[in-house]
Amino acid sequence: MRMRFLGSTSEAGACPTLYETDRGTIVVQGLRVTDAEALADLRDVLDGEAAVEVPRELITEIARRVLPDAGQNV
């Protein structure tokens, strides 16, 4: 799998960051959620899965740049 950098709202290359893969998926780089109460709210977590936290602004900014007409519905 290959990934292409989409963007970040962090400075100096720190996470969180989003990437697009050559498989048509999005990879999220961010700090792992470790709060037990927050993790208890997750559903159907499979082995090998992890939750990461990213700011809403990162998702909306990348959607505007990458998805056609995304900015009209945000």
Side-chain angles (χ1 to χ4, degrees):
M1 174 173 65
R2 299 296 308 196
M3 296 190 290
R4 178 177 70 95
F5 173 80
L6 293 177
S8 177
T9 54
S10 301
E11 295 180 21
C15 59
T17 305
L18 295 183
Y19 301 86
E20 180 179 35
T21 73
D22 59 3
R23 300 190 302 191
T25 58
I26 301 296
V27 171
V28 178
Q29 172 189 346
L31 295 175
R32 183 184 300 252
V33 175
T34 58
D35 180 271
E37 287 185 12
L39 292 171
D41 292 332
L42 296 175
R43 300 183 198 178
D44 305 319
V45 180
L46 301 175
D47 286 341
E49 289 184 332
V52 297
E53 186 175 11
V54 298
R56 177 184 296 266
E57 300 82 41
L58 176 58
I59 302 294
T60 56
E61 175 61 27
I62 298 306
R64 280 189 205 101
R65 280 195 253 156
V66 175
L67 301 175
D69 302 320
Q72 296 176 13
N73 299 322
V74 176

